[in-house]
């Protein structure tokens, strides 16, 4: 026999919103970012932490020849940084903020990917206290480059 407390608990559980309705995302709902990085680079690990904190699922491959991966996937040399990633068909080069990657995935522009060339101070993974420098997130395609976002 069910008492009143058991009935109310069961009813509350049945009527509670699902986690997705509350804004939570599961690993199955999060984009998978496949990162290729050098085992000797500390800032790559900090950028990966930034992505994970933003809800991305990250798969990391260590490589002693990240340049070969960049060349194989057609990342323009002028945009190179220390790590390269793939997410839902797009390339991500360097310290691109998670919010720019989300915007890319929401907007789905005709682009090969996004890049933050070099390693600007203040970009994700390159934090140095209060020091920051402005930087652009560059979108590129076969027809050229454009500024996707500015930070």
């Amino acid at each position: 026999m069910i008492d009143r407390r058991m009935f109310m608990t069961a009813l509350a559980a049945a009527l509670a919103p699902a986690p997705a309705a509350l804004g939570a995302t599961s690993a199955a709902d999060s984009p998978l970012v496949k990162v290729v990085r050098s085992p000797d680079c500390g800032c790559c690990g900090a950028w990966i932490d930034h992505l994970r904190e933003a809800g991305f699922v990250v798969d990391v491959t260590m490589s002693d020849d990240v340049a070969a991966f960049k060349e194989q996937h057609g990342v323009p040399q002028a945009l190179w940084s220390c790590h390269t990633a793939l997410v839902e068909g797009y390339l991500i080069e360097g310290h691109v903020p998670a919010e720019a990657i989300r915007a890319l995935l929401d907007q789905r522009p005709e682009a090969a990917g996004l890049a933050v060339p070099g390693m600007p101070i203040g970009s994700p993974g390159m934090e140095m206290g209060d020091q920051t420098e402005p930087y652009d997130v560059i979108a590129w395609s076969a027809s050229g480059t454009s500024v996707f976002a500015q930070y």
Side-chain angles (χ1 to χ4, degrees), residues 41-56:
C41 184
C43 66
C44 295
W47 181 73
I48 290 165
D49 291 343
H50 164 76
L51 292 184
R52 287 181 173 144
E53 289 168 6
F56 287 95

Side-chain angles (χ1 to χ4, degrees), residues 32-38 44 48 52 58-62:
L32 173 63
V33 181
K34 295 182 178 185
V35 179
V36 177
R37 62 166 280 203
S38 167
C44 295
I48 290 165
R52 287 181 173 144
V58 183
D59 178 50
V60 179
T61 299
M62 298 293 190

Side-chain angles (χ1 to χ4, degrees), residues 66-144:
V66 179
F69 185 81
K70 295 172 192 303
E71 290 170 352
Q72 175 187 1
H73 287 86
V75 178
Q77 194 164 4
L79 301 178
W80 282 16
S81 185
C82 56
H83 52 265
T84 305
L86 294 167
V87 59
E88 295 188 10
Y90 289 103
L91 288 153
I92 306 297
E93 179 65 21
H95 295 266
V96 177
E99 75 175 339
I101 297 171
R102 290 233 184 255
L104 173 77
L105 297 177
D106 288 344
Q107 297 171 20
R108 301 278 178 188
E110 293 291 325
L114 297 179
V116 171
M119 299 164 69
I121 295 171
S123 61
M126 290 298 299
E127 295 89 354
M128 296 189 180
D130 292 337
Q131 294 179 352
T132 61
E133 60 186 6
Y135 63 94
D136 294 333
V137 176
I138 306 297
W140 84 90
S141 66
S143 61

Side-chain angles (χ1 to χ4, degrees), residues 4-15:
R4 181 180 157 161
R5 182 175 296 154
M6 289 175 60
F7 174 76
M8 294 305 286
T9 301
L11 181 62
L15 297 176

